[in-house]
Amino acid sequence: MLELRLVQGSLLKKVLEAIKDLVNDANFDCSATGFSLQAMDSSHVALVALLLRSEGFEHYRCDRNLSMGMNLGNMAKMLKCAGNDDIITLKADDGSDTVTFMFESPTQDKISDFEMKLMDIDSEHLGIPEAEYHAIVRMPSSEFGRICKDLSSIGDTVVISVTKEGVKFSTRGDIGTANIVCRQNNTVDKPEEATIIEMTEPVSLTFALRYMNSFTKATPLSSIVTLSLSSDLPVVVEYKIAEMGYIRFYLAPKIEE
Amino acid sequence: GSKQPTITRFFSKV
């Protein structure tokens, strides 16, 4: 028996909007720790890891570890039917091939049930090793989203270079080149507007903008994004989900031939 | 030119 009640149902709506275009089908894993997902995109270039900790739910009942295969497009369709202020409850019985999403309006005057078919998904679970990153950039998520969008109108790839002075995003295409430098800036009034760079050594890596743009669909989940970079390692683009967990995107850097 | 490696090149199956 599984029953998860999330008062801030909009979080789950935003999570699905963030990942549904990157991943088609995925297993949601439910355990005492929380509600989680790890999945690769169809070309196995990017990986998404989601964790919503059990403590973040108003009610969290998971009698035994359960893996539920879902089509994320279909799940997003169902969650779109929940209001932004609705409380969302996920329910599944042991051995059942369906999951039920219950939406309650804040005033309890409208209660909806949506039952969705589960699917069997053969998914590979990857071990993500702990890594010491050469550079960690923390910046406003809206700024990062804007940069990825702007650069993708000029080129297909972005070179992210971090030095003590700042982080540089560069691209080149048929019409020309673009460089955007964000300097370290931790003296702003609001912490969510700061750009903070922790660096042990300079790093410069090239990534496909198509994937970066897809990751920025998680922007509504957090005002801050963290980019963790190391030579020859996938970048980690992390959006923290307030008091609940995170959504992390991993993208393999392009390699010069 | 540049090549796009897969994520499985960096992270192994468990």
Side-chain angles (χ1 to χ4, degrees), chain A residues 40 44-45 124-127 232 252-257, chain B:
Chain A
M40 284 184 279
H44 291 193
V45 168
E124 296 162 348
H125 210 81
L126 301 182
D232 308 319
K254 290 200 147 200
I255 295 170
E256 283 302 317
E257 282 185 309
Chain B
S2 58
K3 191 175 74 173
Q4 177 66 69
T6 61
I7 201 90
T8 45
R9 179 182 170 134
F10 301 92
F11 301 152
S12 49
K13 291 175 201 171
V14 291

Tab-separated table of all heavy atoms in Angstrom, chain A residues 40 44-45 124-127 232 252-257, chain B:
chain	number	residue	atom	x	y	z
A	40	MET	N	17.445	8.104	-17.969
A	40	MET	CA	18.225	8.718	-19.036
A	40	MET	C	17.289	9.155	-20.158
A	40	MET	O	16.194	8.601	-20.312
A	40	MET	CB	19.220	7.702	-19.617
A	40	MET	CG	20.419	7.461	-18.724
A	40	MET	SD	21.605	6.351	-19.502
A	40	MET	CE	20.865	4.761	-19.156
A	44	HIS	N	20.636	8.455	-24.256
A	44	HIS	CA	21.573	8.107	-23.169
A	44	HIS	C	22.722	9.111	-23.009
A	44	HIS	O	23.817	8.760	-22.591
A	44	HIS	CB	22.136	6.682	-23.355
A	44	HIS	CG	21.114	5.624	-23.149
A	44	HIS	ND1	21.417	4.292	-22.999
A	44	HIS	CD2	19.764	5.698	-23.065
A	44	HIS	CE1	20.303	3.592	-22.848
A	44	HIS	NE2	19.294	4.434	-22.895
A	45	VAL	N	22.437	10.355	-23.358
A	45	VAL	CA	23.443	11.421	-23.227
A	45	VAL	C	23.263	12.166	-21.900
A	45	VAL	O	24.216	12.602	-21.274
A	45	VAL	CB	23.316	12.400	-24.425
A	45	VAL	CG1	24.111	13.669	-24.197
A	45	VAL	CG2	23.773	11.707	-25.707
A	124	GLU	N	17.892	0.837	-16.695
A	124	GLU	CA	19.199	0.599	-16.096
A	124	GLU	C	19.406	1.643	-15.018
A	124	GLU	O	19.201	2.832	-15.256
A	124	GLU	CB	20.294	0.759	-17.156
A	124	GLU	CG	20.217	-0.261	-18.259
A	124	GLU	CD	21.012	0.174	-19.480
A	124	GLU	OE1	21.429	1.329	-19.555
A	124	GLU	OE2	21.197	-0.686	-20.360
A	125	HIS	N	19.792	1.208	-13.821
A	125	HIS	CA	20.096	2.159	-12.759
A	125	HIS	C	21.599	2.375	-12.764
A	125	HIS	O	22.371	1.423	-12.736
A	125	HIS	CB	19.626	1.603	-11.413
A	125	HIS	CG	19.237	2.673	-10.456
A	125	HIS	ND1	18.012	3.300	-10.487
A	125	HIS	CD2	19.927	3.253	-9.459
A	125	HIS	CE1	17.965	4.209	-9.534
A	125	HIS	NE2	19.115	4.205	-8.899
A	126	LEU	N	22.004	3.634	-12.843
A	126	LEU	CA	23.432	3.939	-12.904
A	126	LEU	C	23.928	4.394	-11.531
A	126	LEU	O	23.216	5.083	-10.804
A	126	LEU	CB	23.710	5.032	-13.936
A	126	LEU	CG	23.286	4.749	-15.373
A	126	LEU	CD1	23.675	5.904	-16.277
A	126	LEU	CD2	23.905	3.454	-15.887
A	127	GLY	N	25.153	4.010	-11.211
A	127	GLY	CA	25.788	4.476	-9.983
A	127	GLY	C	26.454	5.811	-10.265
A	127	GLY	O	27.262	5.916	-11.185
A	232	ASP	N	36.398	16.336	-17.808
A	232	ASP	CA	36.112	14.942	-18.129
A	232	ASP	C	35.037	14.299	-17.258
A	232	ASP	O	35.039	13.087	-17.063
A	232	ASP	CB	37.394	14.091	-18.060
A	232	ASP	CG	38.496	14.709	-18.886
A	232	ASP	OD1	38.191	15.182	-19.991
A	232	ASP	OD2	39.649	14.736	-18.418
A	252	ALA	N	26.805	14.691	-20.309
A	252	ALA	CA	28.185	14.386	-20.694
A	252	ALA	C	28.726	15.517	-21.559
A	252	ALA	O	28.035	15.992	-22.465
A	252	ALA	CB	28.218	13.071	-21.463
A	253	PRO	N	29.964	15.964	-21.292
A	253	PRO	CA	30.551	17.012	-22.122
A	253	PRO	C	30.918	16.465	-23.489
A	253	PRO	O	31.190	15.275	-23.648
A	253	PRO	CB	31.802	17.430	-21.347
A	253	PRO	CG	32.160	16.263	-20.502
A	253	PRO	CD	30.890	15.517	-20.225
A	254	LYS	N	30.933	17.350	-24.476
A	254	LYS	CA	31.376	16.958	-25.816
A	254	LYS	C	32.890	16.810	-25.798
A	254	LYS	O	33.584	17.501	-25.045
A	254	LYS	CB	30.949	18.009	-26.825
A	254	LYS	CG	29.435	18.011	-27.039
A	254	LYS	CD	29.080	18.666	-28.334
A	254	LYS	CE	27.847	18.006	-28.927
A	254	LYS	NZ	27.723	18.259	-30.350
A	255	ILE	N	33.379	15.903	-26.617
A	255	ILE	CA	34.819	15.634	-26.656
A	255	ILE	C	35.343	15.993	-28.033
A	255	ILE	O	34.742	15.617	-29.042
A	255	ILE	CB	35.087	14.147	-26.325
A	255	ILE	CG1	34.675	13.862	-24.875
A	255	ILE	CG2	36.547	13.795	-26.550
A	255	ILE	CD1	34.670	12.389	-24.524
A	256	GLU	N	36.447	16.740	-28.048
A	256	GLU	CA	37.069	17.094	-29.335
A	256	GLU	C	37.663	15.851	-29.972
A	256	GLU	O	38.287	15.042	-29.295
A	256	GLU	CB	38.173	18.146	-29.121
A	256	GLU	CG	37.635	19.546	-28.889
A	256	GLU	CD	36.756	20.067	-30.013
A	256	GLU	OE1	37.122	19.871	-31.177
A	256	GLU	OE2	35.700	20.662	-29.712
A	257	GLU	N	37.452	15.717	-31.269
A	257	GLU	CA	38.028	14.567	-31.983
A	257	GLU	C	39.345	14.972	-32.642
A	257	GLU	O	39.487	16.090	-33.090
A	257	GLU	CB	37.053	14.059	-33.030
A	257	GLU	CG	35.951	13.229	-32.395
A	257	GLU	CD	35.039	12.608	-33.446
A	257	GLU	OE1	34.547	13.325	-34.322
A	257	GLU	OE2	34.811	11.391	-33.336
B	1	GLY	N	35.880	18.760	-35.343
B	1	GLY	CA	34.544	18.391	-34.895
B	1	GLY	C	34.580	17.858	-33.467
B	1	GLY	O	35.649	17.572	-32.921
B	2	SER	N	33.418	17.738	-32.861
B	2	SER	CA	33.346	17.200	-31.508
B	2	SER	C	32.347	16.053	-31.473
B	2	SER	O	31.427	15.989	-32.281
B	2	SER	CB	32.964	18.289	-30.520
B	2	SER	OG	31.731	18.861	-30.875
B	3	LYS	N	32.565	15.186	-30.502
B	3	LYS	CA	31.757	13.974	-30.397
B	3	LYS	C	30.955	14.045	-29.102
B	3	LYS	O	31.430	14.560	-28.101
B	3	LYS	CB	32.712	12.770	-30.373
B	3	LYS	CG	32.030	11.429	-30.529
B	3	LYS	CD	33.057	10.315	-30.617
B	3	LYS	CE	33.672	10.026	-29.264
B	3	LYS	NZ	34.549	8.845	-29.273
B	4	GLN	N	29.729	13.528	-29.143
B	4	GLN	CA	28.887	13.523	-27.949
B	4	GLN	C	28.888	12.125	-27.326
B	4	GLN	O	28.235	11.223	-27.838
B	4	GLN	CB	27.457	13.929	-28.315
B	4	GLN	CG	26.482	13.888	-27.151
B	4	GLN	CD	26.792	14.904	-26.076
B	4	GLN	OE1	26.663	16.084	-26.258
B	4	GLN	NE2	27.232	14.421	-24.901
B	5	PRO	N	29.630	11.932	-26.262
B	5	PRO	CA	29.610	10.617	-25.613
B	5	PRO	C	28.336	10.409	-24.798
B	5	PRO	O	27.666	11.383	-24.446
B	5	PRO	CB	30.838	10.643	-24.699
B	5	PRO	CG	31.129	12.073	-24.459
B	5	PRO	CD	30.502	12.874	-25.556
B	6	THR	N	28.017	9.172	-24.513
B	6	THR	CA	26.842	8.887	-23.686
B	6	THR	C	27.211	9.000	-22.210
B	6	THR	O	28.385	8.968	-21.838
B	6	THR	CB	26.301	7.468	-23.959
B	6	THR	OG1	27.332	6.540	-23.622
B	6	THR	CG2	25.889	7.292	-25.403
B	7	ILE	N	26.199	9.104	-21.386
B	7	ILE	CA	26.409	9.247	-19.936
B	7	ILE	C	26.942	7.928	-19.346
B	7	ILE	O	27.644	7.923	-18.343
B	7	ILE	CB	25.089	9.709	-19.257
B	7	ILE	CG1	25.375	10.353	-17.901
B	7	ILE	CG2	24.078	8.597	-19.095
B	7	ILE	CD1	25.604	11.824	-17.969
B	8	THR	N	26.628	6.815	-20.027
B	8	THR	CA	27.068	5.511	-19.524
B	8	THR	C	28.588	5.333	-19.653
B	8	THR	O	29.159	4.426	-19.079
B	8	THR	CB	26.346	4.367	-20.270
B	8	THR	OG1	26.356	4.666	-21.665
B	8	THR	CG2	24.918	4.226	-19.811
B	9	ARG	N	29.209	6.224	-20.397
B	9	ARG	CA	30.670	6.211	-20.464
B	9	ARG	C	31.289	6.657	-19.124
B	9	ARG	O	32.421	6.325	-18.802
B	9	ARG	CB	31.101	7.159	-21.584
B	9	ARG	CG	32.578	7.292	-21.774
B	9	ARG	CD	32.815	8.304	-22.878
B	9	ARG	NE	34.211	8.662	-22.947
B	9	ARG	CZ	34.904	8.733	-24.069
B	9	ARG	NH1	34.327	8.451	-25.219
B	9	ARG	NH2	36.163	9.088	-24.060
B	10	PHE	N	30.506	7.442	-18.367
B	10	PHE	CA	31.005	8.007	-17.104
B	10	PHE	C	30.448	7.291	-15.877
B	10	PHE	O	31.112	7.179	-14.855
B	10	PHE	CB	30.637	9.488	-17.021
B	10	PHE	CG	31.198	10.302	-18.147
B	10	PHE	CD1	30.456	10.512	-19.300
B	10	PHE	CD2	32.466	10.843	-18.067
B	10	PHE	CE1	30.971	11.259	-20.353
B	10	PHE	CE2	32.990	11.589	-19.112
B	10	PHE	CZ	32.245	11.801	-20.258
B	11	PHE	N	29.192	6.881	-15.970
B	11	PHE	CA	28.528	6.229	-14.834
B	11	PHE	C	28.226	4.786	-15.233
B	11	PHE	O	27.686	4.539	-16.308
B	11	PHE	CB	27.210	6.933	-14.492
B	11	PHE	CG	27.348	8.401	-14.141
B	11	PHE	CD1	26.294	9.267	-14.366
B	11	PHE	CD2	28.517	8.910	-13.586
B	11	PHE	CE1	26.397	10.619	-14.041
B	11	PHE	CE2	28.628	10.257	-13.259
B	11	PHE	CZ	27.568	11.108	-13.492
B	12	SER	N	28.540	3.854	-14.332
B	12	SER	CA	28.319	2.457	-14.700
B	12	SER	C	27.027	1.920	-14.099
B	12	SER	O	26.488	2.454	-13.127
B	12	SER	CB	29.509	1.612	-14.283
B	12	SER	OG	29.843	1.894	-12.961
B	13	LYS	N	26.552	0.852	-14.708
B	13	LYS	CA	25.306	0.230	-14.245
B	13	LYS	C	25.513	-0.379	-12.866
B	13	LYS	O	26.576	-0.901	-12.575
B	13	LYS	CB	24.882	-0.874	-15.213
B	13	LYS	CG	24.428	-0.379	-16.551
B	13	LYS	CD	24.157	-1.539	-17.480
B	13	LYS	CE	24.217	-1.079	-18.927
B	13	LYS	NZ	24.175	-2.220	-19.857
B	14	VAL	N	24.475	-0.324	-12.037
B	14	VAL	CA	24.559	-0.974	-10.720
B	14	VAL	C	23.569	-2.122	-10.654
B	14	VAL	O	22.610	-2.171	-11.397
B	14	VAL	CB	24.307	0.018	-9.556
B	14	VAL	CG1	25.453	0.987	-9.450
B	14	VAL	CG2	22.992	0.768	-9.728
